[in-house]
Amino acid sequence: MLKRKIYDQLVAWKQSSHGTTAIMIDGARRVGKSYIAEKFAQAEYKSYILVDFGQAPTDVLDLFVNDSANLDLFFAKLAAFYATPLYKRESVIIFDEVQQYPRARQLIKYFVADGRFDYIETGSLIRLKKNVQDIIIPSEEDHIEMFPLDFEEFLWAMDDEVTYPLIRQCFEIKQPLGAALHRKIMNDFRQYILVGGMPQSVLAYLDGKDFQASDIAKRRILKLYREDVAKFAEGYEDKVFAVFDGIPGQLSKKEKKYKLSSLGKQARFRTFEDSFIWLHEAMVVNACFNATDPHVGLALSADNATQKCYMADTGLLVTHTFQDKNYTDNELYRAILFDKLNINQGMLTENIVAQMLRHRRPRLYFYSRSDSRNRTNHIEIDFLITQGKKIAPIEVKSGNYRTHVSLDKFRKKFSSVLGNSYILYTKDVMVKDGIIHLPLYMAELL
């Protein structure tokens, strides 16, 4: 069993809710929602029933149509069908892949009001209009997002539960870990970049430290994503495919902003906007928006038409980049394993930072200002985050970088709202010139 942090969130929900709300686990396909919901149900309840709407038989679906007005009969039939007794306040019912049967989600209001049992919903693509347009979203629904394994969870999977507390301690006091330990952690972190955090990929890799097995698992996931596009983005699936397939090429450029001109000379944001939204809502990508005036706040000044489009899992990006070639032709594996991050380093390092930052905040931002008449006014900051009422800029650099011109300009221009300034790179912790330098693996602590 892969140890996941979301388990503790489910425990907290159960203890605080006492049956007054259901919990919706929202996440990309194959991120581990069904698995963690069932493991939680097995360990924390006397009994449970899992209704998988991806393959639920007609007899079960008919209960939601014909018997939902009589909950005594509904629960009696449901327990009989699954041959599982239900105990008042000691049982949980899981609605798995609930987006495939929206009526069950709408009935949550009445199930929760009845008060007999707890309810867990899992779903992918649940925010897409197609999956909610005919129902009233229940207000008795708490939400938690589930992401690929973060780096700490990846270390747990590698049977290492002692390293990350030290990483956290050194982050808090801004103290270097030391050359030997930093080198070891960076070696583990490079494995994390390649394998990613999708459970199937991690499990395949752990069985013999086999990158090829991991790559095969990731190819299956990418194939599933493409099938979802064909099924759920009907009418504009070609545009979604075009945006999705263009991600590696866009991220390999010096400036990571998604250039629509790469999709066609006449391409305009308004014609592709639904495609970007689809990928974002499906949690396949992490969108990052240009905050044009941090003085007034990040969300208030966000330009949705100017965005970067990162893959939600960096391991999937590694495979997606070379999907038309064999695993043995994937140069990124060799480059990372042998610490040659100068090869496509910007693509992978920025993507992994975006992935780690997204785990702690609902939206990502960057800052970009161009001035064709005066190059000195040009500023590019990879990420912006808020810390209290202050704005913290983040630059992602290689270990051998020499200057941080854009960061210096940004600090001067926005000094009145500036908090800490960070550089994430491949070396150890260092504070220099008022800038906090952190190793990449500390990004998820920001």
Side-chain angles (χ1 to χ4, degrees):
M1 175 180 175
L2 292 174
K3 182 180 176 183
R4 303 300 303 272
K5 294 177 182 178
I6 197 173
Y7 191 98
D8 291 337
Q9 292 179 260
L10 291 171
V11 171
W13 159 76
K14 182 186 178 188
Q15 293 174 346
S16 63
S17 170
H18 300 293
T20 59
T21 61
I23 188 78
M24 166 69 81
I25 306 174
D26 182 12
R29 295 263 264 158
R30 293 294 186 263
V31 81
K33 303 181 299 297
S34 305
Y35 176 83
I36 201 68
E38 190 163 15
K39 287 298 180 183
F40 176 74
Q42 290 171 348
E44 306 294 337
Y45 291 88
K46 188 173 181 178
S47 73
Y48 74 96
I49 288 174
L50 188 149
V51 182
D52 181 359
F53 288 108
Q55 53 184 13
T58 303
D59 288 344
V60 171
L61 299 182
D62 285 347
L63 295 179
F64 291 87
V65 176
N66 301 319
D67 297 310
S68 58
N70 184 340
L71 292 184
D72 290 337
L73 182 61
F74 176 89
F75 291 127
K77 286 188 175 182
L78 192 68
F81 184 89
Y82 287 97
T84 301
L86 292 170
Y87 304 95
K88 186 174 181 179
R89 301 302 322 133
E90 295 185 273
S91 297
V92 62
I93 300 174
I94 302 171
F95 292 160
D96 195 29
E97 300 293 351
V98 72
Q99 80 281 354
Q100 298 202 37
Y101 195 69
R103 178 171 173 77
R105 187 179 179 192
Q106 179 168 281
L107 289 172
I108 282 292
K109 174 182 178 69
Y110 306 101
F111 293 147
V112 168
D114 174 72
R116 267 177 268 192
F117 313 115
D118 283 353
Y119 301 91
I120 300 173
E121 303 166 274
T122 77
S124 306
L125 312 166
I126 63 167
R127 289 172 285 190
L128 296 180
K129 182 178 179 181
K130 180 176 181 179
N131 292 330
V132 297
Q133 61 185 0
D134 296 324
I135 68 169
I136 299 173
I137 304 299
S139 58
E140 300 78 8
E141 201 179 66
D142 292 332
H143 279 243
I144 50 176
E145 291 182 314
M146 189 171 188
F147 300 100
L149 277 75
D150 65 21
F151 184 49
E152 184 175 12
E153 291 172 322
F154 183 78
L155 290 177
W156 291 345
M158 302 262 283
D159 292 325
D160 179 357
E161 296 198 15
V162 299
T163 297
Y164 208 85
L166 180 59
I167 293 174
R168 186 177 286 107
Q169 179 183 342
C170 290
F171 168 81
E172 290 172 352
I173 62 177
K174 304 301 179 284
Q175 176 180 309
L177 289 90
L181 184 55
H182 171 70
R183 190 181 308 113
K184 175 192 176 296
I185 297 173
M186 278 303 300
N187 183 56
D188 290 338
F189 190 69
R190 285 193 290 271
Q191 295 174 66
Y192 175 58
I193 290 174
L194 291 171
V195 174
M198 302 302 282
Q200 290 177 338
S201 174
V202 174
L203 291 170
Y205 173 67
L206 292 179
D207 187 13
K209 297 292 180 70
D210 189 342
F211 285 109
Q212 186 166 8
S214 164
D215 195 72
I216 291 171
K218 289 184 290 179
R219 287 173 186 267
R220 292 196 192 103
I221 295 170
L222 289 169
K223 182 175 182 292
L224 180 65
Y225 286 175
R226 300 186 77 84
E227 291 171 353
D228 282 345
V229 172
K231 181 177 180 180
F232 293 106
E234 187 177 355
Y236 58 101
E237 61 269 34
D238 288 345
K239 289 185 172 65
V240 178
F241 283 135
V243 172
F244 182 62
D245 290 338
I247 291 174
Q250 298 293 326
L251 293 180
S252 66
K253 294 179 171 63
K254 183 177 180 180
E255 292 187 3
K256 307 296 187 291
K257 295 190 292 291
Y258 205 108
K259 301 288 188 182
L260 287 174
S261 58
S262 66
L263 304 177
K265 292 182 179 180
Q266 303 302 318
R268 296 292 182 270
F269 179 72
R270 64 179 179 272
T271 60
F272 281 87
E273 183 175 11
D274 286 346
S275 302
F276 284 101
I277 291 174
W278 194 98
L279 290 167
H280 181 65
E281 294 296 324
M283 298 180 72
V284 171
V285 305
N286 290 323
C288 186
F289 302 94
N290 186 19
T292 57
D293 186 4
H295 281 123
V296 299
L298 301 182
L300 290 175
S301 66
D303 176 10
N304 291 344
T306 306
Q307 62 176 278
K308 301 177 185 178
C309 197
Y310 298 103
M311 290 281 285
D313 181 76
T314 306
L316 289 180
L317 173 61
V318 172
T319 297
H320 186 34
T321 303
F322 285 84
Q323 194 164 6
D324 294 333
K325 298 182 180 180
N326 294 324
Y327 158 77
T328 52
D329 296 326
N330 193 328
E331 301 164 9
L332 296 181
Y333 282 93
R334 291 189 294 275
I336 295 173
L337 284 175
F338 291 96
D339 197 15
K340 303 294 184 182
L341 278 176
N342 57 311
I343 301 178
N344 283 303
Q345 64 180 8
M347 175 174 71
L348 295 178
T349 53
E350 274 200 40
N351 200 92
I352 194 68
V353 169
Q355 179 179 337
M356 297 166 86
L357 292 177
R358 174 65 179 88
H359 287 182
R360 299 188 62 175
R361 45 192 52 82
R363 215 173 188 206
L364 300 178
Y365 300 95
F366 68 100
Y367 180 79
S368 177
R369 178 187 177 185
S370 298
D371 188 337
S372 57
R373 292 176 295 181
N374 188 351
R375 181 67 181 175
T376 59
N377 290 329
H378 184 77
I379 303 176
E380 291 284 340
I381 301 295
D382 297 324
F383 299 100
L384 298 177
I385 60 174
T386 56
Q387 293 183 329
K389 296 182 179 180
K390 298 294 186 178
I391 304 297
I394 300 172
E395 282 274 70
V396 182
K397 299 285 190 181
S398 67
N400 297 318
Y401 87 95
R402 296 183 179 180
T403 62
H404 39 73
V405 177
S406 278
L407 185 56
D408 292 338
K409 294 178 186 176
F410 183 89
R411 295 175 73 201
K412 182 177 180 180
K413 182 177 179 63
F414 296 102
S415 58
S416 63
V417 295
L418 190 72
N420 291 325
S421 298
Y422 297 97
I423 285 178
L424 296 173
Y425 67 157
T426 56
K427 293 186 178 181
D428 207 344
V429 177
M430 176 180 69
V431 179
K432 182 180 179 182
D433 300 328
I435 298 172
I436 301 171
H437 295 64
L438 300 174
L440 289 166
Y441 51 78
M442 288 187 178
E444 63 193 25
L445 295 172
L446 291 173

